[in-house]
Amino acid sequence: GWCPLSPTGAQTTQLLVEPPWRPAVLWDRVTLTCQGSGTTGATTWYKRWGQQGRDSFTVIQSGTYTCGRPSSGLSPPIRVSNDQLVLQVLARALLEGDMVTLRCRG
């Protein structure tokens, strides 16, 4: 695989998911947005192949998605499932002792 190197303090590529629940499910009309340094429109999306284009799109197929920007490398992967029943948590950093809201959806 490709392991991008970035200088200390450099912005890394992030993949934003809307709505912000994990795991993401296809029937939620999930929109992915790639954020990172570099030229707007120079985003490459990876599922099974690289596809260059817009910085965001609505997912129409389940799978694991990653995006890349020229100056900040690859984002962490996001899985979008098509499961019938999911237990979801809001996508944010959690620490031990935090109160969390879970939702069971089907």
Side-chain angles (χ1 to χ4, degrees), residues 14-25 29-34 59 77-80 91:
Q14 295 297 314
L15 192 47
L16 305 180
V17 182
E18 188 61 39
W21 290 89
R22 298 289 193 286
V25 287
R29 290 191 47 82
V30 174
T31 298
L32 301 179
T33 301
C34 192
V59 177
I78 294 289
R79 175 153 170 64
V80 179

Side-chain angles (χ1 to χ4, degrees), residues 41-79:
T43 300
T44 301
W45 292 95
Y46 300 92
K47 185 172 183 268
R48 290 194 183 103
W49 59 89
Q51 178 183 352
Q52 193 162 347
R54 298 172 293 166
D55 293 333
S56 68
F57 73 98
T58 300
V59 177
I60 58 169
Q61 188 177 21
S62 60
T64 301
Y65 291 83
T66 304
C67 70
R69 298 295 296 271
S71 301
S72 52
L74 292 176
S75 72
I78 294 289
R79 175 153 170 64

